[in-house]
Amino acid sequence: MSADARLVVISNRVAVPKARGAAGAQGGLAGALHSALKNRQGLWFGWSGKQSESGRTGNISTQTSDDVTTATIDLSERDIEEYYNGYANSTLWPLFHYRLDLAKFERETGKGYERVNERFAELVAPLIEPDDVVWVHDYHLVPLGERLRSRGCKNRIGFFLHIPWPATRLFVSLPYHERLVRTMLHYDLVGFQTQEWLDSFLHYCREELGADVDEESGSVTLDGRTTIARAYPIGIDWEHFSKLGEKGEARQAQQRLMSSTRRRTAMIGVDRLDYSKGLPERLDGISRFFDKHPERVRDLVFVQIAPPSREDVESYQVIRATLEQKTGQINGARSEVDVVPVRYVNRGYTHEELFGFFRAAKIGLVTPLRDGMNLVAKEYIAAQDPEDPGVLILSQFAGAAAQLPDAVMVNPHSPDDLAHAIRVALDMPLEERKERHEKLIGTVRDDNVQNWTETFLRDLDNVPH
Ligand code: ADQ
């Protein structure tokens, strides 16, 4: 691969570049990939997010903007149900987030998943030139590399998993787990967010597949083919994000939150409405805090921003109802005529507005039960005033925890632990806040998304092929 080889990114969803604000609301992946493609006249292929009217999925719609060409296809109603809502989001997502209790194992959706991956391969293969470097993303498209190989694609192909990789004992609950992992060994390079997920993957390959694994180099050899597996912790677009504070929209948002909370400390949570993010457990921790310190209802207001996602999947409807109920309970028990302790907002905001809210909030609460990385934690740190920074409370089970040890670390399953962390954060002296922030900001600035893409693509260029 030459330095200017074209990059072809393939992911489930494609964010059209000009809809940058909306890209954030769709998840961390969209913003990260846009940055990777910007300077390489890249091609980004994936699902439009729309259902095809005719039931046919052969039409590719392309557009070029900001040096990035997007090529999208629509999917049929059945494809969306089986591949997206079904296998990807009702089987792989819960299982990979350690929620075996929510995982559904249906043969039909598994078939739909394979069918759509085959369809992706059939439609994208003719768009790939011999010198292109191909980068496939996330759990929706695990078998895609193998499907491309079966069509004669000899390019370098890398794969990055944005979510955790489960421990072997859990992963083997997946019917046909071996078939899925074997397809991954057709990539040249496979990336994970953390060393922990990487170790679980290597353990599986060695113990369950009998592959030849070299922990040092990350090489996995099976049936005469070698794949390199490594950890690449994703970061935020530091250049872009850290400048948002200069924008009027960010200042207004900051002002809006500050003036509405008056003398109380604002504590913020910003998450997609997803059971992996630990939202009910977070509210239980807040409730415990107020049980222990009822007088502090005048010191603290919690703002939870959580736009709905994957609303067609039942477990997501359940979590929404649970949150509404828990918010109502806390507010019912603790409100005064002039004080409401929890504000629960069910919508998305632009990154400018989020920056302003993060800066106004003196505590950032990021407490997923399991998370590949968690970019909100990094955005919260990036938005702080270095002279008067807020405190990040971070789950030990977020991928980000390995990189950000100077956050106040919590076990999100424990309401007592959460309540304690909130008290520590509320009372933390300025000196300590500054010390912690200085260390955190160094990591967030240096391990940014540009570094992430450069490192991954450089390795993809250099691994044996
Ligand atoms: P997500 O599960 O979506 O991403 P995260 O990493 O936190 O989680 O990224 C969320 C992004 O969406 C952030 O940029 C955030 O600002 C934005 N966002 C969240 N709520 C929003 C709101 N109300 N309005 C606007 N924007 C909002 C997946 C994995 C993660 C991994 C990323 C990137 O689950 O573990 O970190 O991919 O690899």
Side-chain angles (χ1 to χ4, degrees):
M1 176 183 99
S2 66
D4 49 10
R6 189 176 71 142
L7 174 64
V8 176
V9 165
I10 310 172
S11 63
N12 171 57
R13 285 291 298 275
V14 172
V16 180
K18 62 186 177 211
R20 172 104 204 169
Q26 286 164 16
L29 178 57
L33 292 186
H34 183 263
S35 310
L37 286 158
K38 224 166 18 191
N39 298 322
R40 303 176 65 125
Q41 284 85 43
L43 170 70
W44 190 353
F45 180 90
W47 176 33
S48 61
K50 296 192 197 113
Q51 186 179 316
S52 62
E53 306 252 315
S54 62
R56 288 179 58 246
T57 53
N59 294 338
I60 302 178
S61 139
T62 56
Q63 63 165 294
T64 302
S65 154
D66 202 12
D67 274 345
V68 178
T69 301
T70 55
T72 54
I73 55 167
D74 298 345
L75 292 178
S76 71
E77 186 180 1
R78 181 168 163 221
D79 287 343
I80 296 170
E81 207 35 49
E82 294 180 356
Y83 149 82
Y84 182 70
N85 291 327
Y87 201 76
N89 286 327
S90 301
T91 304
L92 296 181
W93 176 274
L95 177 69
F96 281 42
H97 287 87
Y98 288 64
R99 292 301 300 269
L100 195 53
D101 58 319
L102 296 178
K104 295 198 166 123
F105 302 111
E106 303 286 352
R107 192 176 292 244
E108 278 313 305
T109 62
K111 281 196 208 149
Y113 180 77
E114 292 192 358
R115 186 179 63 243
V116 172
N117 269 272
E118 172 63 20
R119 194 92 182 108
F120 263 57
E122 179 192 341
L123 294 171
V124 76
L127 307 179
I128 299 173
E129 308 282 341
D131 287 337
D132 289 349
V133 170
V134 181
W135 192 2
V136 177
H137 288 261
D138 231 1
Y139 60 102
H140 316 86
L141 300 175
V142 175
L144 183 63
E146 189 263 338
R147 294 288 82 215
L148 286 170
R149 295 276 184 236
S150 78
R151 292 178 171 272
C153 177
K154 299 210 165 26
N155 302 58
R156 286 176 180 272
I157 315 182
F159 174 80
F160 186 79
L161 184 70
H162 290 258
I163 65 176
W165 183 271
T168 301
R169 282 295 107 215
L170 193 62
F171 182 63
V172 294
S173 324
L174 181 72
Y176 306 112
H177 52 85
E178 187 171 330
R179 181 150 131 195
L180 190 74
V181 180
R182 278 179 180 271
T183 66
M184 286 173 83
L185 301 179
H186 288 261
Y187 291 108
D188 296 295
L189 178 64
V190 173
F192 297 90
Q193 299 272 25
T194 69
Q195 185 66 37
E196 186 183 347
W197 321 138
L198 170 64
D199 287 344
S200 298
F201 176 76
L202 294 177
H203 180 268
Y204 175 89
C205 291
R206 194 178 48 237
E207 301 300 322
E208 297 291 325
L209 297 185
D212 193 2
V213 173
D214 178 41
E215 311 272 344
E216 191 87 354
S217 63
S219 79
V220 180
T221 305
L222 189 71
D223 301 336
R225 263 200 59 86
T226 296
T227 294
I228 302 294
R230 288 192 187 141
Y232 300 91
I234 199 170
I236 62 168
D237 187 347
W238 167 265
E239 275 293 301
H240 168 76
F241 196 85
S242 60
K243 292 202 184 84
L244 293 180
E246 295 159 16
K247 303 243 165 120
E249 210 185 336
R251 292 216 192 92
Q252 274 165 20
Q254 181 184 354
Q255 204 47 46
R256 208 169 134 202
L257 184 55
M258 279 168 52
S259 61
S260 75
T261 55
R262 276 172 264 146
R263 271 187 291 279
R264 289 192 292 162
T265 297
M267 175 165 79
I268 195 164
V270 175
D271 312 76
R272 272 186 313 102
L273 191 44
D274 191 298
Y275 49 81
S276 68
K277 303 291 182 187
L279 300 171
E281 293 77 4
R282 190 178 299 175
L283 287 172
D284 289 345
I286 291 166
S287 184
R288 184 66 52 88
F289 173 80
F290 286 128
D291 288 346
K292 288 186 174 170
H293 313 282
E295 74 290 353
R296 301 203 79 164
V297 77
R298 298 210 159 264
D299 291 345
L300 183 72
V301 54
F302 177 52
V303 181
Q304 176 64 55
I305 297 174
S309 70
R310 304 175 194 167
E311 290 172 277
D312 293 334
V313 180
E314 193 198 336
S315 45
Y316 287 77
Q317 295 157 9
V318 174
I319 180 112
R320 186 170 179 167
T322 309
L323 281 182
E324 281 164 9
Q325 191 200 10
K326 282 187 186 282
T327 306
Q329 273 167 355
I330 302 178
N331 283 342
R334 302 285 167 199
S335 292
E336 307 275 345
V337 285
D338 57 341
V339 176
V340 178
V342 178
R343 296 180 191 172
Y344 172 46
V345 189
N346 231 212
R347 54 161 283 198
Y349 287 94
T350 64
H351 261 148
E352 285 79 357
E353 289 171 308
L354 285 185
F355 186 104
F357 296 150
F358 286 145
R359 197 159 174 122
K362 288 292 158 210
I363 305 176
L365 209 44
V366 179
T367 58
L369 305 182
R370 214 38 83 156
D371 213 330
M373 174 55 61
N374 194 298
L375 293 176
V376 170
K378 297 187 173 185
E379 290 166 0
Y380 178 77
I381 292 165
Q384 296 311 301
D385 172 1
E387 295 310 316
D388 182 18
V391 179
L392 174 66
I393 298 179
L394 180 61
S395 160
Q396 66 190 87
F397 302 120
Q403 283 188 296
L404 305 172
D406 292 289
V408 173
M409 226 48 91
V410 285
N411 174 353
H413 297 282
S414 160
D416 288 318
D417 208 17
L418 276 164
H420 176 71
I422 292 169
R423 197 183 57 75
V424 167
L426 255 183
D427 297 337
M428 192 179 286
L430 177 64
E431 235 7 73
E432 184 179 347
R433 282 193 276 132
K434 280 166 84 170
E435 263 169 41
R436 285 179 185 255
H437 179 71
E438 209 178 304
K439 293 187 192 145
L440 293 168
I441 199 81
T443 307
V444 172
R445 187 187 50 227
D446 297 343
D447 293 346
N448 54 50
V449 78
Q450 279 77 17
N451 262 329
W452 174 75
T453 51
E454 274 163 30
T455 316
F456 186 94
L457 291 171
R458 194 189 56 221
D459 283 2
L460 183 54
D461 188 25
N462 289 319
V463 293
H465 176 62

